[in-house]
Amino acid sequence: VQLVESGGGLVQAGGSLRLSCAASGITYEDYTIVWFRQAPGKRRVGISSISMTDADGTTHYADSVKGRFTISRDNAKNTVYLEMNDLKSEDTAVYYCAVLWGEVVRGLLPATGLIDYWGLGTQVTIAS
């Protein structure tokens, strides 16, 4: 399994960025792509997920990004996107995508211990 993130960069507060996560080598059909982020000195936390299995592409968001971030998928390209709007200084972090086998349970984004495969991450820096 290989995950490659792209799209990070430096943007002013209030601006937007779109991250991409290109996945390859996944042969199991039932999985979810989860976006995590890790700010300096803080633990890595899940912020959004999308099912790659169900027809609707069920999504989940952490409260910290709900209403500002939108996750979407292109199954033909095995790519997941994270559209980030109204960015704030507290969004500064390294953003990682990851594979969760199966589905998100009870709407709770998974902890890092449930993840087997990670991308290398992409840096997002918000200038205030």
Side-chain angles (χ1 to χ4, degrees):
V1 174
Q2 185 175 22
L3 302 168
V4 179
E5 303 95 337
S6 61
L10 172 65
V11 66
Q12 294 290 321
S16 299
L17 281 174
R18 188 177 82 154
L19 306 184
S20 299
C21 171
S24 60
I26 299 175
T27 57
Y28 187 54
E29 293 183 349
D30 185 12
Y31 68 101
T32 297
I33 295 293
V34 187
W35 281 101
F36 288 77
R37 69 184 181 187
Q38 186 167 18
K42 296 189 177 181
R43 63 185 180 92
R44 193 174 300 186
V45 295
I47 57 170
S48 186
S49 69
I50 187 165
S51 171
M52 301 300 284
T53 305
D54 66 59
D56 295 333
T58 302
T59 60
H60 298 280
Y61 298 93
D63 288 343
S64 58
V65 306
K66 198 173 294 183
R68 299 187 299 122
F69 290 12
T70 302
I71 192 169
S72 62
R73 70 185 188 188
D74 184 334
N75 284 73
K77 296 181 179 179
N78 288 331
T79 299
V80 170
Y81 304 98
L82 187 68
E83 184 75 32
M84 307 187 297
N85 298 313
D86 189 24
L87 285 162
K88 306 175 181 181
S89 57
E90 53 263 43
D91 295 318
T92 294
V94 179
Y95 285 69
Y96 301 89
C97 64
V99 174
L100 172 71
W101 301 124
E103 307 293 324
V104 168
V105 177
R106 291 191 292 273
L108 297 176
L109 291 166
T112 56
L114 294 177
I115 302 298
D116 288 330
Y117 297 99
W118 296 92
L120 295 179
T122 185
Q123 176 70 48
V124 171
T125 303
I126 311 305
S128 56

